[in-house]
Amino acid sequence: VPLYYARLNLREPLKASIAAILLNIALNALFMHTPLRQGGLALATSLSVLANLLLLLLWLEGGFGELRKWRLGATAIRCLAASAVMGLVIFCLRLAVESLGGSLQERLWQAAFITLAVPLGAGTYFGAAMLLKTPDLWEAMKIAGRKWK
């Protein structure tokens, strides 16, 4: 969006945002009536944000060519792989909890699962991203490090 604003182009970001909002509403309605239920809301939001990004990239003057310099593709593929590893680890955690006789329908087991899943998932994601040498992760860590100082 800042690239568009720098070029004094306000229409494309507005059109992309409206399209993303409409897509989000449609996907929310669709996913709420599936086994995903409230998890579908997060998926719908993620897909809508992705659609917004893709529209803005598609409409960007010069197309995707100049964005290759930004290592966008390499970062996206590595982030997707790190997310898949994280998802597998959390799935295995769920199987482990259920094998101990825990039911994720009960509040106590839900609390235990979430207490373990959040730090384990975050650690797994960032560990996998570091092992995959995700280019923009190192830049983000440098920025975050400067903010904490």
Side-chain angles (χ1 to χ4, degrees):
V1 172
L3 290 173
Y4 283 94
Y5 290 167
R7 296 175 178 179
L8 301 176
N9 183 346
L10 307 178
R11 287 200 172 118
E12 272 73 18
L14 178 64
K15 289 190 281 188
S17 295
I18 290 170
I21 289 169
L22 293 174
L23 178 63
N24 195 7
I25 291 168
L27 291 175
N28 282 334
L30 176 70
F31 291 152
M32 284 299 290
H33 301 291
T34 67
L36 293 172
R37 292 186 304 265
Q38 69 271 19
L41 298 176
L43 179 59
T45 301
S46 297
L47 293 174
S48 299
V49 169
L50 179 63
N52 188 18
L53 172 68
L54 292 176
L55 283 174
L56 289 172
L57 289 174
L58 183 66
W59 296 336
L60 189 63
E61 291 177 27
F64 287 102
E66 63 186 83
L67 291 173
R68 287 190 189 128
K69 296 175 189 173
W70 296 354
R71 303 172 306 203
L72 185 62
T75 297
I77 290 169
R78 289 181 174 118
C79 286
L80 183 63
S83 297
V85 171
M86 178 187 69
L88 181 63
V89 167
I90 298 302
F91 180 73
C92 290
L93 176 65
R94 179 180 178 166
L95 293 177
V97 167
E98 290 173 349
S99 72
L100 292 172
S103 170
L104 292 180
Q105 301 301 320
E106 298 174 22
R107 297 273 185 212
L108 182 61
W109 283 103
Q110 286 176 350
F113 178 75
I114 290 181
T115 300
L116 291 171
V118 170
L120 181 64
T124 301
Y125 176 82
F126 285 108
M130 283 187 198
L131 287 173
L132 292 168
K133 299 179 180 169
T134 305
D136 294 338
L137 175 65
W138 296 106
E139 291 299 318
M141 290 175 66
K142 286 180 194 173
I143 292 168
R146 280 184 256 149
K147 297 279 184 187
W148 285 98
K149 287 183 180 181

